[in-house]
Each structure stands twice: as structure tokens, then as C-alpha cells.
Amino acid sequence: SVLTLTVETPYEPRLVGFWNFNEGNAEPGAGGVLDLATDDGSHDGTMTGGILSTDVPEELAGAGARSLDLTGGGSHVIIDTFSGGADDDDFDAIKAQALSVSVWVKGWPAGNWLPFVSKNGEANGWQIRRQGGNNTGTFTLRGTSAEDDPQTVSDIGPNPDWSHLVGTYDGLTRKMFVDGVEVLSVADSGDISPSTDLVMFGNRMLSGVVQPVHSNVQPDDIG
């Protein structure tokens, strides 16, 4: 599961960030969450609250496999290079209007419209989040031609099962997949509105302010 940034020539598609929370790659509390896609620390994150759990999707099971449990309340991860400044421009994906985001999830966000993964996603940017109060997810994009939060056609879950969510956008079509099944496909075009806010797991940042909207979910293998 990866986050791929696709950009126009002379750029090439590339893996921008990948976080699996496995043993040795994350520390609970004030520790850091390592980005395994880069070796310069530019996309590492800070964990606030939360614990590492051995409860992982069957497909990811193995020695040292961990997920990120944010169900204790008041918990999230912010991609801020261990409480510093983050090289987050990569995640805007505006050079060629192309972006893919994937995440394993267990549990529903504790409120309507709350995110699993976000980069603002309200005024600008993007989110993979709960679609309103429904038992479905949506791939929210701001600034493109299609509806911001299109309704998918399949439930996520049922809980307490793990589900794999993928959102893709290539400048022509926005799609979403649940466990490998396409549940959303809409014609879409235009630039994703860029955001200076940072990528977050289980929460969102708006205009530089981390919101008190903790989703209380359990994610794994975000990319």
C-alpha cells in the first residue's frame, strides 16, 4: 500500500510516503513515526497519544507487525518531522493533478465526516474519511471539477473487520476501492487545491491548527 505522486514530464510517478508502524518504526507517546519511503526524515511524524497494537490485518501479519491504535481518544499522528517543520509540498500533488492514497482501517471515526488520513481536506487539500454519518468512506478532493465528497456504493467493514481503502485521482477520474473492489468512479478534472497544512492520521489540520476532532480509529500501512 503506497502513496504515489504522479506528475507531468519531466517528472515520474514516485512513492512519496509510507508508514507501517511496525516494531522499530514507531514509538508511542511523544515518539516518532518513521516514513519508510525516504531516508532523510522529511516525512517522519509525531505520535500524540495512541499505542502500537499487535492487532493487524491478516495480510500484514508477521514478526514485529504492528498497527496504530488511536481509539483511546485524543490521539493522532502529524507528519511534522518529529515536531518540527515538514517537507509537505510533495503531498499537494498539483503538478499533474495526480494522487493515490491507501490505508488499512479498523473501526469507524467517532463522528460524521472525520478522517482516516487528511491534508486539510476542508477548504483545500484532500482526505480519505467517513462519508457523513454513513458506513461508507469517501475520497474528498477540493478544487477539482467533481463533487467534493462523492458517495461510494459499498460499506466499509462490517466492524470489527479490517478494510483496505484506496483513493486515486489521475486528472480524468476519481476512484475509490474497498478491499480491491471499485466502489466509486466519477469523471473529475483540474488541480487539487494546494494546502499548507500538514498530513495527519486520525485528525486534520486547518489553517495551521490541529483540530479537536480525533477520529478514534485504528489504521495500518498508510501510504
Side-chain angles (χ1 to χ4, degrees), residues 72-85:
S75 305
H76 59 252
V77 169
I78 181 171
I79 304 306
D80 63 354
T81 316
F82 298 169
S83 300

Side-chain angles (χ1 to χ4, degrees), residues 14-215:
R14 62 187 177 94
L15 177 65
V16 178
F18 175 59
W19 306 266
N20 69 4
F21 315 110
N22 287 352
E23 189 173 20
N25 296 334
E27 299 178 12
V33 175
L34 300 182
D35 168 30
L36 303 182
T38 60
D39 58 7
D40 61 2
S42 61
H43 297 149
D44 293 339
T46 300
M47 184 188 304
T48 297
I51 61 173
L52 301 180
S53 171
T54 57
D55 177 14
V56 299
E58 181 179 353
E59 292 84 349
L60 305 180
R66 301 289 187 272
S67 65
L68 178 60
D69 188 340
L70 302 177
T71 61
S75 305
H76 59 252
V77 169
I78 181 171
I79 304 306
D80 63 354
T81 316
F82 298 169
S83 300
D87 178 15
D88 70 334
D89 290 344
D90 286 340
F91 300 104
D92 277 323
I94 60 172
K95 292 188 178 76
Q97 314 154 345
L99 180 71
S100 297
V101 184
S102 70
V103 57
W104 284 90
V105 299
K106 185 176 184 179
W108 277 110
N112 299 350
W113 299 109
L114 295 190
F116 296 106
V117 184
S118 70
K119 191 176 194 296
N120 188 313
E122 292 298 306
N124 43 43
W126 50 266
Q127 301 180 73
I128 287 188
R129 62 173 173 170
R130 186 175 189 175
Q131 214 279 350
N134 302 306
N135 290 338
T136 54
T138 189
F139 184 31
T140 298
L141 299 182
R142 304 293 180 177
T144 60
S145 63
E147 180 184 353
D148 292 336
D149 311 290
Q151 177 68 58
T152 57
V153 297
S154 176
D155 287 356
I156 299 172
N159 288 334
D161 295 339
W162 285 91
S163 292
H164 187 226
L165 313 183
V166 178
T168 69
Y169 176 58
D170 62 4
L172 297 173
T173 308
R174 189 188 329 177
K175 294 185 177 184
M176 190 169 185
F177 301 83
V178 175
D179 296 328
V181 177
E182 183 180 292
V183 297
L184 170 71
S185 181
V186 295
D188 201 1
S189 62
D191 291 340
I192 301 169
S193 178
S195 171
T196 58
D197 290 315
L198 303 181
V199 171
M200 296 195 68
F201 310 151
N203 201 342
R204 69 172 69 94
M205 176 185 284
L206 302 179
S207 299
V209 179
V210 175
Q211 301 298 292
V213 298
H214 310 281
S215 296

